[in-house]
Amino acid sequence: MTVSSSPRMLSLWLPRFATDRIRRLRETTPVPHEGLPLVVAGKRGNADVLIAINEAAEQLGLFAGMALAQARAMHPALDVVPEDARADGELLESIADWCLRYTPLVACDAPDGLLLDISGCAHLYGGERELVADLGRRLTQAGFAYRVAIAGTIGAAWAAAHDGQPDTYANGEERDLLAPLPLDALRLPPPVVASLGRVGLKTIGDIIDMPRSPLTARFGAGLLRQLDRALGREHEPLTPRLPVAPYVAEERFYEPIAREEDVLGTVQKLAARLSMTLERHGDGARRIELTLFRTDGALRRIAAGTARPLRDAADIRALFAERLVTIADELDPGFGFDMARLSVLIAEPAPAEQIGLGSAEDAGELVRLVDRLSARLGAQRVRRAVAQDSHIPELASVTLPAQMTVKDDGWAAYNRHRSAVELAPRPLRLLARPEPIEAVAEVPDGPPLRFKWRRALHDIVAAEGPERIEGAWWQEENIETSPAGNRARDYFRVEDRSGHRFWLFRAGLYRDLVPGTAPPSWFVHGMFG
């Protein structure tokens, strides 16, 4: 079977979308006045007008845009429901997600339609008519009225779905399709359509062969632009609501799957397919998403990140095994999944020598551990320290997600600095902020003899120091970031009678003490193992 590379656009219009949504809700929560003609009303300007009507209301002669007062005067027994644009929008996005099974290029055509770029996709369903039949069957089961048209341009497909004969039109048939349709099928602003009507131009065929300059001068450039787009003379881009993944593999099942091991087996199978494509392009996956399509239309998206470009199928399976453990209850396969898609959302160059070969093996194991922990606990909870250009201990490092890419983590420069100046040992555990203590010490520069911290008194039996660290004199003193301020610090390593070892410092020097300023104060900053 050959796959056409010509653009093919599908326009889906749900003509009773709002009333269908309400009817679906009432299937579970019936209302007393069920059975009356249903209309949805909303404010437009200063008037209440009908936004949507069901089939029964349409048979009474009501139509969208009619004033609500007029509709009530004609038929007092109406079931009037206020417009809920938010609920309509959320449901339309859910249907757009559900349509991802046909193509990843899906755009919302608010308030009641969707646009799908199905170029090169329809053959997966046996052809365009089979795809439309599958789409229509699922929409009918879900309780939606629909109109679907396929053509070579967005404009032609939209016009056929809304104002023409919903069908499948070959590329090149746009002119014959559009010519008999009214001008508003070009998605023109109503004032432009009204202006064209006043000079006797009613259909698209009336303007197709007219001189372009007078039309542009009188009705604006937008008229011919919409016409050219519908006819395929100008490209009209489709803006999908979700980013398009650079690498995608998918699998459809004859029988729905529900067991976790089947899902993981599918992941490995799809990952193996992606691996070949990634290797051919010299890429690896940094962020991967598994999309599972339930038979009832619900969607499950599971994403996982990696610390390095990855393309090994077993590693990708292990990532999702961890993710499935954390979302076991949320997965809820219902009656099973009938389709799965594995997408590489972010890919980065990954030369073959960086993937599990030679001396990189140990690093590779660490990266796998980070990936698996991040998948189970969350990427923000697995972190690593990155050195900063500061000699203030609490500012000398920050923690970042371990999977985040950092060109230079600063530790090479830090180690060079340590070897050059021979810094005193630092405690393994450093408090996030120095905590003030009450200390008794020999002045002016002696170590503390005893101190009280967190209501416990510690008598010091051994002390070493001081190690002086000057404050950041080029900064304003900021108590919010450091309770010790920017004063010079004298650090001491001390041991109390119980054998506990602390890293204490005195902020401020007695030699700098002048009347009116705060005296030096003591803090505990860390504990040695």
Side-chain angles (χ1 to χ4, degrees), residues 172-207:
E173 294 182 350
E174 289 81 11
R175 183 186 178 94
D176 294 338
L177 160 65
L178 294 170
L181 301 182
L183 283 164
D184 56 6
L186 290 178
R187 296 172 290 162
L188 297 170
V192 175
V193 176
S195 299
L196 289 163
R198 283 195 289 272
V199 296
L201 301 175
K202 304 292 185 183
T203 67
I204 298 175
D206 293 338
I207 64 169

Side-chain angles (χ1 to χ4, degrees), residues 305-308 310 315 319 354 356 359-375 382-385 402-403 409:
T306 67
R308 66 182 176 101
L310 190 70
D315 289 345
L319 275 183
Q354 293 186 6
S359 60
E361 185 174 353
D362 292 341
E365 291 300 325
L366 177 60
V367 169
R368 290 188 188 93
L369 175 63
V370 168
D371 287 345
R372 296 186 67 175
L373 290 174
S374 299
V382 183
R383 308 177 75 86
R384 65 189 177 96
Q403 290 183 327
D409 63 9

Side-chain angles (χ1 to χ4, degrees), residues 227-239:
L227 177 63
D228 290 343
R229 285 183 164 184
L231 291 172
R233 297 169 179 167
E234 178 182 332
H235 175 64
E236 181 177 1
L238 179 75
T239 305

